[in-house]
Amino acid sequence: MTHAMTTLTLRVNGEDHTVAFPAHHTLLEVLRERCGLTGTKHGCELGECGTCTVLVDGRAVLSCLMLAVETEDRSIETVEGLMDGNRLHPLQAAFADLGAAQCGYCTPGVLMTSKALLEADGDPSEAEIREALSGNLCRCTGYHKIVQAVLWAAARLRGEDSAPSAEVFYGSPPPGQEASSSSSSEAHDDD
Amino acid sequence: MLRLPRFEFRVAGSASEAVAILAGEGPGTRLVAGGTDLWPNMKRRHQSARTVVSLMSIPELQGIVGNGGGEGELRIGATTCLADVAASATVRERYPALARAVDAISSPPLRNMGTLGGNLCLDTRCTYYNQTEEWRRSIDYCMKEAGSVCWVAPSSPRCWAHSASDSAPMLAALGGRVKLVSAAGERVLPVAELFANDGIDYLEKAADELLTEVLLPPESDSRHSKSSFWKLRRRGSIDFAVLSVAAWVRTDAAGVVEEARIYLGAVASAPLAATSAAAALLGEPLGEESIAEAARRARKAATPMDNTDFQVQWRGRMVELYTAAALREIAGLDPGVRAPRHLTVLSS
Amino acid sequence: MTEPRAALNLIGKPFRRVDGRAKVTGQTRFADDLTFPRMCFMRLHRSTVPHARIVEIHLEKAEKMPGVLGFLTGEDLPVSFGILPMSRDEHGLAVGKVRYVGDPVVAVAALTEEQAEAAARAVEIEYEPLATISSVEEALANPEPRIHEHGSGGNLHRKKSMIFGDLEQGFEEADVIFEDTLFYGGNTHLAMEQHASVAVPEDDERVTLYSSTQIPHYVHRALARVLELPASRVRVVACPNGGGFGGKSDIMNHEIVTAKMALVLGRPVKISLTREEVFYCHRGRHPMLMHLRTGFGKDGSLKAQHLKTALDGGAYSSYGVASTLYAGALQTATYELPRYRFDTLRAFTNKPPCGPKRGHGTPQPRFGYEVHLDKAAHALGIDPADLRLRNLAPAGLITANWLQLSSVGLGRCIEAVVEGSGWRRRYGKLPHGRGLGLACGAYICGVGLPLYRGEMPHSGVQLKLDRSGGVAVFCGQAEIGQGSDSVLAAIVAEVLGIELADIRLVVADTDLTPVEFGSYASRVTVMMGNAAYDGAQRARELIATAVAERFEVDSERLVFAESRVFDAEDPEKGLSFAAAVAIAETRFGTLGTTGSYRPPTPPGRFQGSGVGPSPTYSYSAAVIEVEVDPATGLFDVEHVWIAHDIGRCINPALVVGQVEGSVYMGLGEVMMEEQAFRRLPPRLSGALVHKTPSLLEYKSPTFRDVPPVTTYLIEEPDPAGPFGAKEVGQGPLLPIPPAAANAVFDAVGVRVDQVPIHPHMILRALEDKARGKEGRFGPAAFPDVDFPRNLIVPTPAEGGDGTALNDPRSQKQAGRQAAKEKPSAASAPV
């Protein structure tokens, strides 16, 4: 059974990719295997984990459940497009500095979902961050550092320089015991 | 990586084009909107299609249309995505329990893709069925696809896959209707009549019919007409319901219940009309006793099967508690059970 | 090796992990991200029956499928492998019979993955079904048909009994004896990355395997064995792992088969497993039934314990011999237990093989012990925190089962969580439905013995330095997300006084990097870290020698800091690190050093004493607050306070992250995670299948399911660790499940003696209690098993010497070890 390939131009991170692929291929497959953009990962390919999340027209969607042909003439954003030149996006910098990326496998999807959230709401509460990211599974972090990183990035995007509290970097001082860690957190430079 | 099988992909530009393709291509043709149900099912090879017709480029199927913020019928296009339904100020104000139900569907990125029409037509689910081709081969398949036995109830002549839609019981309780269009014409059907209690033939919609819109009744939630939705699932996100309770109650000026509807999700192959339970509420003010009686009747009506998460007997007991919780919430009473994390606060 | 914090530049302060930027930009290349020219794709046809003889394999249909390049079957890979040399019972592809649904039988390569998948599906296999075993109880009742021909007879893989000291005497000294039977359900790692491997044939008879593995060294050895190639012709590169948790710390069938296929086809071959296949690889938490019998004094002092454990091992040995022993080995590390008996068995069942998941074999008996202690405290009228504090194992103790403890920060951990949670004023006093629970744990920081015999280093690091001022560090360790690379770089940077940015890492490549056993057993920080420290110290000595000569000062006076080398008494007198290296290069020629680490010889010298010893142990204590809805039995964890004895933080931000991640995984296990199986009605079907091999139905907590966590890091530098550091990747998981179970009891007064705790269990226990019965849900009894008294070891307190009275092997071993007693292998500059 032969089926004609579809050839079309996808606009990914503001750049045109003209690619040929069978019509039944998902955006996930085309991004990774035709565009060479392997930053987008996959964990189930069934819409159950959020790992493959990308933005299409600014909305967080699962690239494993969207045919690439459906994204023609739409704006696609992936983790590879987050940096501004050689400068990390505040979300990226916060994730790197806090250890919100441990193994880093769910990270691209979490970053893209977070970007969509912050574009819709520049000052989300912790509960709103948890809700927005509740479709993205992570097995390393327990999610705490991710929430802190999104809060930090949101603050920086608002122009506020408010680093997370020392607890986020050092844990809480053991009560009733001599402080054994230095108590001030160091603000980390962008990059 | 799990991948889709090959198929011919067609994009319909209008509802009439879509039904024309359906009529012309015949069996082996499937409609797709958000793809969040069909694509996983096709990747696992328990649904198949020669031709798939996308409905996402049909402008008339998208959007929410009502006459302003007041009364009147509200029309929601079938391919309006779930996130937009839940975020709609009109929906939140007039039908807050529907907003809650839709907000409780799966996860945020899925609600950005999945549509209201798609959620209504959601394939019935079962842990013996929603598995890969290889897994199903190892149980010699099941009645719903390629096999002969329903492993949930092996001596049963029917399939017991359960309805897992959250919007369906809620829309049924609200008295919503759907419009179905085919090459032969169109018809409008109460949501409650869209479903059949059979795991395989769970939709009354004919294969050549297209669900184009959902019509919500002119009556909004108000002092005399209130609705609620309670969903039970393991986690705060992603999971399908293992039980949902949708309730709608109208009282007269004195607070006496005139009309009530209760629909249960995930405990039958269709949204289950708990009519006897609803009847227990009639003719008196919504209070502790009538609610307790309605909840007991709801539990009797439900037939949860061992084909999803949680122990099945426990799920049966939860039918009573969650039915009571939904009704007690409407009555302004303490729900009696702890509200799950994923339930949004009802605004009215 | 401990130094005052003030003297440290980098260690102990939070820094961006060295691979952080790559991970947030999409640059990190996981195994499935790799492509090579002419690369083709492989899929495995896996068994669809749980236990059967293979009658015939039909490839006729599959051979005609488009794009197909080749097939492999069990015949092509006749040599067996296994992570432990005493139980090599696995083959790349099934030979003769299959043992679980998911056992790989045929490999297919094709031009595209879709073609390979279609061809794999077209393979047909005729089976002759065999009766199946699905539990320990069934294995005990049905010795035939045997799943394997090896083991302790019938369908038992292992059966062992170890008695440390005069147990009868211990129980005689007790005022009161408590007994409990508990069960811990199986669960799996569920790393977000599905395993992937790419094999590339190089020159004649050489092959490189890129893989998502935690253990490139052991995969290397297994490949050489199975492919029947000299190890020097096989190269294994561990890509950064998208999560491991132990799930990638075994040699996987697909790794072996991919390499073979590449050699047969002469082109690169990739395999990327589906999520379902990952559930079949498993090697996760053993379902474990436990019985504890413990004697206490009236004051709560521990007198003796008899622990029995029964492990459901799945279809292959994997780490099973070790898992079986870990199911009892660390019971003695937290509280001083004078006498101890440990009986254990592991059964083969027709399910995916169990193995090491975070905490390897120890979270189950730890759950048992900590719940058991909670009940004892309640019965004795002693506060559960006090009961533990009274029995604390002292630092430096040699335990009844011959573990050499080093520092013990457990007391401070307990005090921190007791204080932080308001335990003293709140425990036992919260309203019905609300409760607090406390539990502790201990974990190894590396292992005392290698998985195969030999006296070679367990960890090796090589440094290359030159006049650029840059330092290249070569190490065989695999980064699995825990921060292995950052620990390696930080230790070298600290010793040499340079910045992280001046360090280049080459890791986890068996051609290029010195042998490192891998990322398991929480061995990275202590074992690799000590090797890195050793290698960096040697480099520092070389540079210091040359600079001291040039400046005519005593090399002891030289300070390495801020990318300079200078005189401590005259800081102006100094030069940049790059200039210092240039002087050393001038003095000694091309510069390179190595560092090695071999753990101290453990004091135990009986058969089985290899499991448990560690250079030191980490400690954790947790208090968990829960809210139980007595109407539904549903419970929410409201808050977790956890303290972890880390020795010293290398990078506190990453340490906190490991604690939080461990807490999360422990909560997942107690709240919902379950590797469950389903048998169809036997009259209709012989099926025995994984119930929920998907990310949707295998429940792991989401962003909305985790409570706030307060983390206390207890720093008490340990002489065994680099800069005093201990492990943190696994230990903090241990107290979580029992603390939650104990909190449920405090909340509603009933016990659920098993994990996970489902709401119907709480509800049933509440109803039973209301009816005047025992408010408990859990297993009824431990099966009646005849454990032979096959090992009796006097304790240190009884004057033992670490050998068993009745272990013939121990005499031989004693002689051998005495002859070889020597310090860690030293290495010279190369």
Side-chain angles (χ1 to χ4, degrees):
Chain A
M1 185 162 69
T2 56
H3 281 251
M5 300 284 271
T6 303
T7 301
L8 52 78
T9 300
L10 299 181
R11 191 146 187 85
V12 188
N13 303 321
E15 297 169 2
D16 286 345
H17 291 255
T18 301
V19 282
F21 56 87
H24 67 285
H25 276 201
T26 58
L27 181 58
L28 171 70
E29 291 163 275
V30 171
L31 284 172
R32 287 180 54 84
E33 294 164 4
R34 309 279 166 170
C35 301
L37 294 171
T38 54
T40 301
K41 309 300 179 200
H42 56 97
C44 69
E45 306 93 62
L46 295 169
E48 300 170 352
C49 70
T51 305
C52 67
T53 305
V54 299
L55 305 190
V56 173
D57 292 339
R59 277 198 171 194
V61 296
L62 303 172
S63 62
C64 72
L65 296 186
M66 185 170 271
L67 297 185
V69 292
E70 295 180 279
T71 60
E72 194 181 13
D73 299 325
R74 301 172 76 178
S75 156
I76 301 161
E77 293 171 75
T78 70
V79 69
E80 288 94 344
L82 272 180
M83 282 177 80
D84 175 12
N86 195 36
R87 202 179 156 80
L88 295 181
H89 186 281
L91 277 166
Q92 292 175 306
F95 271 63
D97 286 336
L98 288 187
Q102 281 190 21
C103 82
Y105 197 80
C106 74
T107 306
V110 172
L111 284 170
M112 299 318 290
T113 311
S114 303
K115 179 171 190 271
L117 168 69
L118 295 188
E119 279 170 5
D121 177 2
D123 192 6
S125 66
E126 179 173 334
E128 286 164 344
I129 292 169
R130 288 186 177 276
E131 152 61 12
L133 288 170
S134 67
N136 294 76
L137 292 179
C138 166
R139 291 288 286 173
C140 293
T141 61
Y143 305 114
H144 306 281
K145 291 275 181 281
I146 295 175
V147 173
Q148 293 299 328
V150 176
L151 286 169
W152 191 10
R156 290 193 31 200
L157 284 164
R158 294 194 303 271
E160 298 163 19
D161 189 21
S162 54
S165 65
E167 280 75 19
V168 176
F169 292 99
Y170 292 94
S172 301
Q177 299 179 24
E178 273 176 58
S180 56
S181 310
S182 113
S183 56
S184 72
S185 69
E186 261 122 271
H188 288 254
D189 208 9
D190 259 22
D191 214 17
Chain B
M1 194 187 282
L2 280 177
R3 298 175 197 258
L4 286 166
R6 288 174 183 272
F7 52 83
E8 190 187 344
F9 185 65
R10 300 187 57 178
V11 178
S14 66
S16 52
E17 186 186 347
V19 296
I21 297 172
L22 275 182
E25 299 268 336
T29 305
R30 283 184 184 275
L31 302 173
V32 69
T36 57
D37 187 32
L38 181 66
W39 299 144
N41 294 349
M42 287 181 68
K43 285 183 177 185
R44 289 184 298 239
R45 304 297 194 268
H46 54 71
Q47 284 190 333
S48 59
R50 198 180 60 246
T51 303
V52 177
V53 185
S54 170
L55 306 174
M56 296 308 277
S57 300
I58 305 176
E60 70 234 51
L61 296 194
Q62 288 171 8
I64 300 173
V65 184
N67 45 357
E71 293 294 291
E73 198 171 58
L74 190 75
R75 295 189 295 134
I76 304 179
T79 63
T80 309
C81 82
L82 296 165
D84 289 348
V85 174
S88 156
T90 310
V91 172
R92 294 185 94 83
E93 193 192 316
R94 294 188 56 190
Y95 314 101
L98 176 62
R100 182 195 265 185
V102 173
D103 228 12
I105 294 170
S106 190
S107 70
L110 243 106
R111 294 197 295 277
N112 281 340
M113 307 173 75
T115 66
L116 188 61
N119 190 253
L120 277 174
C121 297
L122 187 72
D123 192 12
T124 54
R125 298 186 62 82
C126 175
T127 44
Y128 291 99
Y129 167 69
N130 297 103
Q131 302 277 6
T132 64
E133 163 72 21
E134 285 72 17
W135 190 96
R136 287 178 294 114
R137 191 187 281 191
S138 65
I139 60 160
D140 199 18
Y141 304 95
C142 75
M143 187 187 285
K144 188 161 160 70
E145 217 286 315
S148 54
V149 178
C150 175
W151 293 111
V152 184
S155 53
S156 162
R158 61 162 275 210
C159 158
W160 287 85
H162 63 273
S163 165
S165 166
D166 292 318
S167 63
M170 193 67 244
L171 287 167
L174 289 172
R177 297 176 301 152
V178 289
K179 187 194 274 187
L180 301 175
V181 176
S182 71
E186 62 179 61
R187 58 178 176 142
V188 172
L189 203 65
V191 169
E193 291 172 26
L194 179 62
F195 302 99
N197 196 11
D198 182 280
I200 295 169
D201 293 315
Y202 64 96
L203 278 183
E204 296 290 357
K205 179 178 90 67
D208 66 345
E209 281 183 311
L210 168 66
L211 193 163
T212 58
E213 62 186 23
V214 176
L215 304 157
L216 284 156
E219 193 178 0
S220 307
D221 263 31
S222 67
R223 216 159 62 81
H224 298 303
S225 159
K226 282 202 169 76
S227 54
S228 179
F229 177 84
W230 278 62
K231 172 173 175 172
L232 177 63
R233 58 177 170 182
R234 179 78 65 162
R235 299 179 291 182
S237 186
I238 304 176
D239 293 338
F240 285 98
V242 296
L243 164 67
S244 56
V245 178
W248 174 87
V249 175
R250 189 173 63 209
T251 55
D252 65 14
V256 172
V257 177
E258 287 180 334
E259 202 179 349
R261 288 189 287 266
I262 300 169
Y263 281 83
L264 306 174
V267 290
S269 297
L272 184 68
T275 43
S276 151
L281 303 173
L282 300 178
E284 53 188 300
L286 195 60
E288 301 269 1
E289 280 181 27
S290 64
I291 288 175
E293 176 57 24
R296 276 192 292 274
R297 292 186 186 183
R299 182 182 176 183
K300 261 183 139 170
T303 50
M305 304 297 282
D306 187 15
N307 61 0
T308 181
D309 193 19
F310 286 121
Q311 194 222 29
V312 64
Q313 291 83 358
W314 180 82
R315 282 171 51 221
R317 307 184 51 172
M318 291 307 108
V319 173
E320 183 171 344
L321 293 173
Y322 268 56
T323 302
L327 293 171
R328 293 174 67 90
E329 187 178 42
I330 289 174
L333 300 167
D334 179 284
V337 298
R338 225 176 167 220
R341 287 172 295 270
H342 59 259
L343 286 193
T344 53
V345 177
L346 294 184
S347 52
S348 71
Chain C
M1 277 185 215
T2 60
E3 295 178 14
R5 157 156 275 154
L8 300 174
N9 299 309
L10 184 68
I11 302 285
K13 300 188 186 106
F15 59 86
R16 175 181 290 179
R17 51 185 303 152
V18 297
D19 49 1
R21 185 181 160 112
K23 287 187 171 174
V24 298
T25 54
Q27 278 179 341
T28 300
R29 303 245 285 167
F30 297 94
D32 191 38
D33 299 335
L34 303 179
T35 55
F36 293 87
R38 292 187 75 235
M39 187 171 83
C40 64
F41 297 84
M42 192 177 87
R43 288 293 280 245
L44 298 174
H45 176 102
R46 294 175 182 267
S47 172
T48 53
V49 297
H51 196 197
R53 279 191 199 89
I54 299 170
V55 178
E56 201 164 352
I57 296 173
H58 296 282
L59 302 178
E60 302 81 10
K61 272 191 206 159
E63 278 166 345
K64 296 191 190 102
M65 303 288 285
V68 168
L69 296 170
F71 295 87
L72 293 173
T73 66
E75 286 175 9
D76 300 302
L77 290 156
V79 180
S80 69
F81 62 89
I83 187 78
L84 301 183
M86 69 281 266
S87 56
R88 291 191 184 108
D89 60 4
E90 298 188 59
H91 286 86
L93 297 162
V95 175
K97 67 185 256 185
V98 292
R99 295 178 173 86
Y100 68 98
V101 170
D103 214 354
V105 186
V106 177
V108 190
L111 290 172
T112 69
E113 195 183 35
E114 281 177 88
Q115 290 168 335
E117 182 189 342
R121 211 164 264 161
V123 168
E124 291 170 333
I125 299 178
E126 276 177 56
Y127 292 110
E128 180 194 327
L130 295 166
T132 58
I133 304 288
S134 76
S135 65
V136 168
E137 290 78 2
E138 287 178 16
L140 287 166
N142 302 286
E144 297 289 338
R146 294 186 74 179
I147 294 173
H148 286 284
E149 294 307 311
H150 70 92
S152 295
N155 279 307
L156 291 189
H157 173 206
R158 264 294 197 268
K159 189 163 78 167
K160 199 164 177 69
S161 174
M162 301 164 115
I163 301 168
F164 300 100
D166 187 341
L167 202 78
E168 284 75 15
Q169 177 65 29
F171 279 114
E172 218 152 90
E173 287 172 18
D175 296 316
V176 53
I177 294 170
F178 296 107
E179 290 193 55
D180 279 300
T181 308
L182 306 97
F183 179 71
Y184 200 110
N187 53 57
T188 200
H189 320 81
L190 207 76
M192 292 313 299
E193 180 204 25
Q194 301 138 311
H195 305 236
S197 301
V198 186
V200 182
E202 309 281 0
D203 306 328
D204 290 349
E205 297 289 295
R206 282 183 62 231
V207 65
T208 301
L209 182 79
Y210 301 86
S211 193
S212 38
T213 177
Q214 302 175 229
I215 48 157
H217 174 66
Y218 293 114
V219 173
H220 181 209
R221 286 173 64 90
L223 275 180
R225 179 183 159 84
V226 177
L227 300 175
E228 299 177 89
L229 286 174
S232 57
R233 312 254 176 97
V234 176
R235 176 186 180 197
V236 176
V237 180
C239 298
N241 284 206
F245 318 114
K248 294 162 184 163
S249 68
D250 206 343
I251 302 147
M252 297 293 169
N253 309 70
H254 65 267
E255 295 177 312
I256 302 285
V257 181
T258 309
K260 178 71 178 179
M261 187 68 93
L263 284 172
V264 169
L265 296 181
R267 62 194 295 171
V269 179
K270 178 191 274 190
I271 187 165
S272 176
L273 300 191
T274 65
R275 177 55 59 184
E276 181 181 353
E277 289 181 287
V278 174
F279 281 96
Y280 296 149
C281 290
H282 192 40
R283 322 281 156 163
R285 188 86 70 227
H286 286 78
M288 200 184 294
L289 185 63
M290 299 164 275
H291 181 86
L292 290 103
R293 180 167 181 264
T294 307
F296 294 85
K298 274 199 291 273
D299 59 352
S301 55
L302 288 163
K303 303 296 184 193
Q305 181 173 100
H306 182 183
L307 169 69
K308 290 191 275 191
T309 62
L311 288 71
D312 176 347
Y316 290 94
S317 291
S318 179
Y319 280 84
V321 174
S323 315
T324 309
L325 296 172
Y326 273 123
L330 300 192
Q331 292 298 85
T332 54
T334 42
Y335 319 113
E336 193 163 4
L337 184 59
R339 294 180 168 101
Y340 179 45
R341 172 171 177 170
F342 170 44
D343 299 339
T344 183
L345 66 86
R346 183 179 193 260
F348 286 125
T349 55
N350 294 110
K351 302 189 288 193
C354 297
K357 181 187 172 191
R358 210 169 196 169
H360 190 184
T362 72
Q364 304 97 318
R366 179 53 58 186
F367 169 77
Y369 198 1
E370 297 290 324
V371 170
H372 182 63
L373 280 179
D374 201 66
K375 293 185 184 187
H378 205 254
L380 291 165
I382 301 173
D383 184 291
D386 291 332
L387 179 66
R388 290 167 170 91
L389 288 167
R390 276 178 210 178
N391 285 293
L392 275 188
L397 176 75
I398 298 179
T399 67
N401 62 336
W402 291 90
L403 304 182
Q404 172 68 63
L405 306 186
S406 183
S407 67
V408 177
L410 181 58
R412 287 180 62 192
C413 289
I414 294 173
E415 284 158 14
V417 295
V418 161
E419 191 68 28
S421 65
W423 173 268
R424 299 283 182 200
R425 65 194 151 73
R426 298 175 70 228
Y427 169 70
K429 302 183 186 84
L430 294 172
H432 187 66
R434 197 89 174 178
L436 291 176
L438 181 145
C440 303
Y443 202 62
I444 52 175
C445 303
V447 284
L449 295 175
L451 296 186
Y452 57 90
R453 282 192 189 179
E455 307 289 329
M456 290 176 286
H458 295 215
S459 293
V461 170
Q462 242 173 334
L463 271 66
K464 184 222 95 179
L465 307 88
D466 67 29
R467 60 204 88 170
S468 70
V471 177
V473 183
F474 298 78
C475 179
Q477 190 53 274
E479 171 69 57
I480 64 170
Q482 84 279 50
S484 161
D485 285 1
S486 298
V487 167
L488 180 62
I491 288 172
V492 173
E494 181 67 48
V495 171
L496 297 178
I498 58 177
E499 291 181 20
L500 288 169
D502 296 318
I503 291 185
R504 291 290 165 269
L505 299 181
V506 179
V507 299
D509 181 329
T510 59
D511 264 13
L512 303 181
T513 59
V515 170
E516 224 299 338
F517 284 158
S519 191
Y520 64 96
S522 268
R523 55 185 302 290
V524 174
T525 294
V526 169
M527 301 184 89
M528 176 198 76
N530 274 327
Y533 186 92
D534 183 31
Q537 277 294 351
R538 286 169 198 283
R540 181 179 158 134
E541 279 161 27
L542 285 178
I543 297 165
T545 302
V547 172
E549 281 177 17
R550 180 71 61 92
F551 286 166
E552 298 180 334
V553 298
D554 184 352
S555 69
E556 298 286 301
R557 271 176 39 180
L558 291 175
V559 175
F560 286 61
E562 292 164 3
S563 297
R564 289 179 75 240
V565 180
F566 56 91
D567 184 351
E569 289 170 23
D570 180 8
E572 291 301 303
K573 196 164 159 190
L575 70 181
S576 71
F577 179 76
V581 176
I583 291 172
E585 220 181 323
T586 307
R587 168 74 173 76
F588 296 111
T590 301
L591 295 176
T593 63
T594 61
S596 309
Y597 182 76
R598 212 163 56 94
T601 306
R605 289 178 287 171
F606 50 90
Q607 195 191 19
S609 63
V611 168
S614 172
T616 181
Y617 300 83
S618 77
Y619 292 90
S620 312
V623 168
I624 287 183
E625 183 164 351
V626 298
E627 175 84 28
V628 182
D629 185 344
T632 60
L634 287 164
F635 71 99
D636 281 322
V637 175
E638 298 292 330
H639 202 108
V640 177
W641 293 265
I642 182 158
H644 182 72
D645 165 23
I646 180 67
R648 187 196 307 270
C649 296
I650 303 291
N651 180 347
L654 296 194
V655 171
V656 174
Q658 286 302 306
V659 173
E660 290 171 348
S662 296
V663 168
Y664 155 87
M665 200 163 273
L667 289 175
E669 295 188 13
V670 71
M671 297 190 316
M672 56 182 84
E673 294 185 36
E674 202 164 19
Q675 172 103 337
F677 292 82
R678 189 165 235 163
R679 237 195 228 294
L680 297 191
R683 68 196 158 78
L684 298 174
S685 166
L688 171 57
V689 288
H690 193 298
K691 200 169 169 185
T692 55
S694 71
L695 281 179
L696 177 63
E697 295 299 343
Y698 178 94
K699 304 298 182 187
S700 71
T702 73
F703 267 90
R704 271 182 159 175
D705 302 302
V706 293
V709 176
T710 302
T711 300
Y712 306 114
L713 301 180
I714 304 300
E715 297 202 81
E716 206 167 271
D718 189 294
F723 299 101
K726 301 192 196 182
E727 76 87 37
V728 62
Q730 310 193 58
L733 182 148
L734 293 160
I736 300 304
N742 293 340
V744 166
F745 174 74
D746 187 42
V748 289
V750 297
R751 293 283 177 187
V752 176
D753 287 342
Q754 67 184 65
V755 165
I757 299 175
H758 293 302
H760 74 268
M761 300 173 178
I762 295 179
L763 213 50
R764 165 72 77 79
L766 282 168
E767 284 167 357
D768 283 351
K769 194 180 176 196
R771 281 198 293 260
K773 291 200 268 183
E774 190 189 8
R776 172 185 180 268
F777 190 102
F782 194 87
D784 193 16
V785 180
D786 177 31
F787 286 100
R789 286 186 149 224
N790 60 3
L791 211 66
I792 297 166
V793 186
T795 67
E798 292 171 343
D801 65 356
T803 61
L805 297 177
N806 55 343
D807 176 9
R809 212 199 62 153
S810 64
Q811 272 85 32
K812 276 190 288 174
Q813 198 182 353
R816 198 174 65 238
Q817 287 209 343
K820 286 186 183 163
E821 208 71 44
K822 64 178 181 217
S824 238
S827 56
V830 291

